[in-house]
């Protein structure tokens, strides 16, 4: 008997052409390149040109075209677009609609998710459900960010600004009939399960407040250029929660499926700090080599991080069909999630 499941049928990524090294950042703020490398593991990140033509949906479209090609489908076979970002093209409409226009597809639903670093995994769970419910055969899921345009590039903002990069990742999630749907024995390619969480008590610990209705008016003059008009983060608190929640939700996902950390072939995690990856490996009890890292080259690309990680792992020959992959993410909200899938 076969079972209807969803799988990642195509994956791709795109970044802007220019890499900005830790050293380069000294041209606009007081920053210590060694501090950044030692405390975060980041050597460089990609930043888009400060140009109105370069948009989050545009970068997402670059990754999407390739992902669709790799999935072996035509654009008009897509049934839905899910777009995860914290750096949208405009306050509204959602970047999914802008992406749709870039791709020249009409009529299918397009919506945005605002779960920041956990956005791709929240989106993956939704794509999986739509496919398994028989409502969609192919869903385009995009995580894309141009965060550089929103960062405080003065010394005041250095603790946040050095961490973030621009980039996009796209995945096509397609229906598949699998013969063995048991996650413990199957070697077929399919999404197994997703585990999502949020805790709004910490909503103000990592946020970009203005523009927004937490202000007297949407975008008050007195906040333009003030620190509230840039992302603010309680770095240490975020770090402490991330190192607890990411292992916890990964173990929750494994346990729910009767699997152990040693069964996982590759962990493709959100990337915020190399030290978070190292602590994750220790907490879950796996070798560091199993935790794939992209932080050194890309920095934290928020919703784009996991699909960029998957595409990088693919390029480096670290992913083979049938491998058991675990992804986990933690970020603003706080929101966190894990997904398990056979690649
Ligand atoms: N260059 C030099 N010094 C810097 C710096 C830079 N670019 N950025 C910050 N510093 C300084 C600070 O001014 C502070 O100096 P002070 O102690 O004199 O005030 C000091 O470094 C803080 O250092 P430390 O206490 O070692 O910071 P940390 O260990 O908390 O590391 C983060 C800071 C941001 C790297 C870390 O907290 C982190 O990674 N947090 C989580 C990030 C995250 O997950 N974010 C997104 C969620 S997805």
């Amino acid at each position: 008997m076969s079972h209807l499941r969803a799988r990642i049928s195509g994956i791709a990524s795109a970044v802007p052409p220019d890499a900005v090294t830790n050293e380069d950042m000294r041209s606009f703020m007081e920053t210590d390149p060694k501090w950044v490398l030692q405390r975060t593991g980041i050597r460089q990140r990609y930043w888009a040109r400060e140009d109105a033509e370069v948009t989050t949906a545009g970068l997402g479209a670059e990754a999407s075209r390739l992902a669709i090609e790799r999935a072996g489908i035509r654009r008009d076979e897509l049934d839905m677009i899910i777009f995860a970002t914290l750096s949208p093209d405009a306050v509204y409409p959602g970047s999914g609609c802008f992406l749709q226009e870039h791709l020249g597809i009409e009529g299918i639903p397009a919506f945005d998710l605002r779960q920041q670093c956990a956005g791709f995994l929240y989106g993956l769970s939704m794509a999986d459900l739509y496919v398994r419910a028989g409502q969609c055969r192919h869903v385009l899921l995009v995580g894309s960010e141009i965060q550089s345009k929103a960062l405080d590039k003065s010394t005041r903002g250095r603790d946040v600004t050095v961490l973030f990069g621009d980039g996009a990742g796209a995945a096509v999630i397609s229906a598949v009939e699998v013969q063995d749907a048991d996650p413990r024995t199957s070697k077929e390619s399919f999404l197994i399960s997703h585990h999502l969480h949020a805790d709004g008590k910490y909503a103000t610990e990592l946020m970009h407040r203005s523009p927004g209705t937490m202000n007297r008016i949407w975008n008050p003059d007195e906040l333009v250029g003030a620190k509230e008009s840039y992302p603010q983060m309680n770095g240490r608190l975020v770090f402490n929660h991330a190192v607890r929640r990411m292992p916890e939700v990964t173990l929750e996902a494994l346990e729910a499926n009767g699997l152990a950390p040693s069964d996982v072939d590759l962990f493709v995690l959100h990337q915020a700090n190399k030290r978070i990856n190292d602590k994750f490996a220790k907490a879950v009890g796996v070798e560091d080599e199993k935790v794939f890292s992209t932080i050194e080259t890309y920095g934290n690309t928020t919703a784009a991080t996991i699909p960029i990680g998957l595409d990088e792992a693919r390029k480096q020959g670290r992913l083979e069909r049938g491998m058991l992959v675990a992804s986990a993410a933690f970020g603003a909200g706080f929101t966190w999630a894990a997904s398990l899938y056979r690649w």
Side-chain angles (χ1 to χ4, degrees):
M1 197 180 93
S2 66
H3 309 262
L4 174 62
R5 291 288 184 271
R7 71 190 277 259
I8 300 177
S9 57
I11 188 88
S13 60
V15 289
D18 300 321
V20 180
T21 65
N22 295 343
E23 192 64 40
D24 293 338
M25 291 187 149
R26 295 175 74 181
S27 67
F28 50 83
M29 57 164 68
E30 282 171 35
T31 172
D32 175 359
K34 276 206 205 88
W35 183 93
V36 178
L37 182 62
Q38 276 163 9
R39 300 305 291 160
T40 72
I42 299 168
R43 279 182 198 278
Q44 62 159 55
R45 70 292 288 141
Y46 293 87
W47 275 4
R49 284 195 324 274
E50 282 177 9
D51 176 333
E53 296 297 306
V54 184
T55 64
T56 302
L59 194 59
E62 251 183 85
S64 298
R65 288 187 195 99
L66 258 178
I68 293 165
E69 194 184 307
R70 289 183 184 153
I73 61 164
R74 296 184 317 271
R75 286 178 205 183
D76 62 10
E77 291 180 85
L78 289 172
D79 299 306
M80 175 178 283
I81 293 170
I82 305 178
F83 198 109
T85 188
L86 62 58
S87 48
D89 291 33
V91 173
Y92 66 82
S95 295
C97 292
F98 287 109
L99 176 85
Q100 197 174 31
E101 177 60 11
H102 280 287
L103 295 179
I105 316 167
E106 272 173 38
I108 61 168
F111 55 86
D112 281 30
L113 283 182
R114 293 166 45 91
Q115 271 61 35
Q116 304 78 15
C117 300
F120 187 80
L121 298 185
Y122 267 65
L124 196 60
S125 79
M126 294 174 78
D128 193 8
L129 286 170
Y130 273 105
V131 169
R132 285 177 68 167
Q135 293 204 11
C136 293
R137 282 200 63 74
H138 302 286
V139 177
L140 176 63
L141 170 61
V142 180
S144 183
E145 305 286 0
I146 293 192
Q147 319 192 75
S148 57
K149 291 190 186 186
L151 296 170
D152 182 353
K153 295 187 182 115
S154 71
T155 302
R156 178 182 64 180
R158 65 180 185 177
D159 56 326
V160 173
T161 299
V162 297
L163 304 175
F164 292 98
D166 301 338
V172 177
I173 315 303
S174 302
V176 63
E177 293 290 337
V178 299
Q179 299 309 313
D180 181 4
D182 183 335
R184 291 163 305 175
T185 53
S186 183
K187 293 281 181 258
E188 294 172 74
S189 167
F190 70 105
L191 300 176
I192 298 171
S193 71
H194 316 277
H195 304 261
L196 315 181
H197 297 277
D199 189 350
K201 180 157 75 251
Y202 299 103
T204 59
E205 301 291 349
L206 175 49
M207 83 167 170
H208 188 162
R209 182 182 124 186
S210 187
T213 56
M214 283 178 89
N215 306 315
R216 180 177 52 81
I217 56 169
W218 181 247
N219 197 13
D221 285 346
E222 67 271 19
L223 289 188
V224 175
K227 70 179 177 38
E228 293 82 357
S229 67
Y230 297 105
Q232 301 294 312
M233 171 174 73
N234 180 345
R236 196 149 292 176
L237 184 87
V238 174
F239 186 96
N240 290 339
H241 279 259
V243 297
R244 178 158 70 91
R245 294 305 195 183
M246 284 170 61
E248 184 183 274
V249 70
T250 302
L251 294 174
E252 174 191 328
L254 289 167
E255 202 174 306
N257 292 289
L259 291 160
S262 56
D263 294 321
V264 177
D265 296 300
L266 197 64
F267 293 88
V268 181
L269 306 178
H270 178 60
Q271 305 282 300
N273 190 319
K274 177 70 169 59
R275 291 185 290 133
I276 297 179
N277 295 356
D278 297 344
K279 282 181 183 292
F280 176 93
K282 253 197 202 80
V284 171
V286 294
E287 314 86 85
D288 289 347
E289 299 68 55
K290 272 201 178 178
V291 180
F292 190 68
S293 179
T294 54
I295 186 88
E296 193 175 324
T297 315
Y298 294 95
N300 181 349
T301 53
T302 303
T305 305
I306 289 178
I308 287 177
L310 289 171
D311 195 35
E312 269 299 317
R314 181 195 64 80
K315 285 185 207 160
Q316 294 178 25
R318 298 281 305 271
L319 275 179
E320 277 167 36
R321 284 294 175 197
M323 277 171 90
L324 182 65
V325 182
S327 287
F330 179 89
F334 291 156
T335 48
W336 62 102
S339 292
L340 274 184
Y341 39 102
R342 290 255 169 219
W343 179 249

